[in-house]
Amino acid sequence: MSNNFLRFRDLAGKVVLGKYKEGTFEQRLTIVGCLTVVFVSVIATVSNFVLGLYNIGLITLALLIVSTFCFSTARFGIFPKWLIHVIFLIAIIFYNLSWLFNFGSQGPTLNLIIGIYVFFILIWKRKNYFVLVSLCLVNVCVLFLIEYNFPGIVGNYSDEKTRILDVYSGVCFAIILTFFMAVSVKRNYIVQYERAKKSDQLKTSFLANLSHEVRTPLNVIAGFTSMIPEMNYSDEDLKKIHKVIDLNGKQLLFLIEDIIDLSKLEVNQLELHATFFDLKSVFSDFKSGFEAYSSVDREHKVKLDYKIDLENSQIYADELRVSQVLRCLITNSYRFSDHGVILFGCYQEGSELIFYVKDTGRGIKPEFEEQIFDLFVKFQNRDHTIESGVGIGLHLSKKLVELMGGTIWYKTKYLEGSEFYFSIPYKRG
């Protein structure tokens, strides 16, 4: 498969599915299905009016309008739980009316009704299968009884050629719909398989990284605590040892907290607790904590500073989560900076607070930019070694920011530095 075709396929996916390109199977199939109905409705409306089937032509025109609305609603970010149910109800009503005005079993509509039920069986969860199959059987039986007992209600085609054209155009409609369903199902299978395969690989890598990241501070803590009783240290040396133990203990605690919070986010069990707090106090604690850490780290020659461009530093938000995101971003900047300055701060923009972390470090290679918020992803630095960490910080930050009702974004230039920003709703203290 050529690179040009793959690029075209990815571009088409982004244009059609928007932000739901990586969404659930139900979301993607619903959007593709609605768009397919839009295209086919255009063809069906034109064909029906050309053939003189004005009643069914008006129905297909109505379907075109409704399906366009449903596609637009789903494609551009509004995907409520009730949307699929509304689409199902509209589709069933439309095709039953089409059956009535399209001459019952003489026309192509009966097969399309069954196809619609199959389509929604693919979309809905397994617990709804019995309901859908039962509805389909009841629907077909009712139509059979109506036509069997009242054959005159559905009428007849004006001539045999019109009937043949209408039947075969309906078959074409069914083929197109079946094709898109089959492609979507196959594509979903491939995507889910690749995700599962990648997830297994990343989890294996994560466990290996986790082992290292946990063992390192534990070894430091165990080593220094075992040395204290064995030797007579001066008060100054004991203070340094205490600082190293304390910093490694906090590093281990932060890692465990991040893993627990990420697990809660994955099952939608993480709750926010917003309060009024002083942002200046939080920033000052970050700076003092960083200075304590950098004093025992000989590899990085980095300074940390902050700036608050607010009239009142009292804000209303979840202090723990704001601090957690800033910690992840600052830690990430520190890892990618050998020297220079890391500047973090906050300013107001409209009804939002904008937080930022800017560094003069190594930046991000262009080929890695689309993956930086992915889970368990780590990148090589200039000497082709993998950066420290377990690969959850930026992914966790993105999830937390979205939970707080904001967005996160970045600017970067390789070998010159990066700037990370995130927003949250602003409520003055």
Side-chain angles (χ1 to χ4, degrees), residues 209-223:
N209 293 330
L210 181 62
S211 174
H212 175 266
E213 294 297 322
V214 170
R215 191 185 297 117
T216 300
L218 281 177
N219 285 339
V220 172
I221 294 170

Side-chain angles (χ1 to χ4, degrees), residues 191-426:
V191 168
Q192 295 301 329
Y193 173 76
E194 293 296 334
R195 283 180 180 175
K197 186 177 178 181
K198 183 179 179 182
S199 178
D200 286 341
Q201 293 172 345
L202 290 174
K203 284 177 182 177
T204 302
S205 176
F206 167 71
L207 291 173
N209 293 330
L210 181 62
S211 174
H212 175 266
E213 294 297 322
V214 170
R215 191 185 297 117
T216 300
L218 281 177
N219 285 339
V220 172
I221 294 170
F224 274 101
T225 51
S226 64
M227 288 168 55
I228 293 175
E230 297 175 359
M231 300 182 68
N232 294 321
Y233 289 100
S234 64
D235 290 342
E236 185 178 350
D237 287 337
L238 284 174
K239 286 181 180 179
K240 291 180 179 178
I241 292 173
H242 177 267
K243 183 186 290 186
V244 172
I245 293 173
D246 181 58
L247 290 172
N248 280 273
K250 287 180 179 178
Q251 181 181 344
L252 184 60
L253 179 63
F254 287 147
L255 175 61
I256 294 171
E257 286 178 346
D258 287 348
I259 294 171
I260 293 172
D261 289 340
L262 183 62
S263 300
K264 289 181 178 179
L265 281 166
E266 293 297 325
V267 293
N268 298 317
Q269 290 185 355
L270 187 68
E271 297 180 355
L272 297 177
H273 301 283
T275 58
F276 286 103
F277 67 93
D278 185 9
L279 201 58
K280 186 175 182 180
S281 175
V282 172
F283 281 17
S284 178
D285 289 344
F286 264 118
K287 184 175 180 180
S288 59
F290 178 86
E291 288 172 348
Y293 182 82
S294 61
S295 65
V296 298
D297 185 359
R298 305 299 182 186
E299 295 182 6
H300 296 77
K301 306 297 181 183
V302 181
K303 293 182 179 180
L304 183 73
D305 203 359
Y306 68 86
K307 184 178 181 182
I308 300 177
D309 292 320
L310 297 173
E311 294 179 2
N312 185 357
S313 62
Q314 289 278 337
I315 66 169
Y316 183 78
D318 190 321
E319 180 181 357
L320 175 62
R321 302 310 168 192
V322 170
S323 300
Q324 191 173 10
V325 175
L326 282 171
R327 172 175 57 78
C328 288
L329 295 179
I330 291 171
T331 302
N332 192 66
S333 291
Y334 186 75
R335 287 197 184 111
F336 282 84
S337 301
D338 299 318
H339 54 78
V341 178
I342 298 174
L343 177 66
F344 69 102
C346 177
Y347 62 89
Q348 181 185 355
E349 189 173 273
S351 59
E352 293 183 321
L353 283 177
I354 309 297
F355 294 84
Y356 59 86
V357 176
K358 304 178 181 179
D359 65 67
T360 55
R362 296 189 290 274
I364 303 167
K365 291 183 178 180
E367 59 265 31
F368 297 144
E369 288 185 19
E370 291 187 0
Q371 307 169 42
I372 64 168
F373 292 115
D374 290 350
L375 187 58
F376 305 142
V377 171
K378 297 172 67 178
F379 305 118
Q380 293 180 343
N381 55 29
R382 283 176 296 182
D383 58 2
H384 301 291
T385 59
I386 302 296
E387 291 291 342
S388 61
V390 294
I392 67 173
L394 289 178
H395 179 80
L396 176 63
S397 298
K398 185 174 185 292
K399 291 284 188 181
L400 288 172
V401 170
E402 290 173 349
L403 184 65
M404 291 187 286
T407 55
I408 187 169
W409 68 98
Y410 68 95
K411 301 176 184 176
T412 186
K413 194 168 184 180
Y414 185 53
L415 299 180
E416 293 187 15
S418 301
E419 299 177 6
F420 281 83
Y421 299 83
F422 70 92
S423 66
I424 62 171
Y426 179 41

Side-chain angles (χ1 to χ4, degrees), residues 48 52-60 93-105 107-109 143 153-157 166:
N48 285 320
L53 304 173
Y54 299 112
N55 288 334
I56 190 64
L58 291 173
I59 294 176
T60 54
I93 292 173
F94 163 77
Y95 282 106
N96 277 275
L97 287 174
S98 297
W99 174 87
L100 180 63
F101 290 102
N102 213 26
F103 312 111
S105 59
T109 312
L143 296 180
I153 200 171
V154 295
N156 293 289
Y157 284 92
D166 193 31

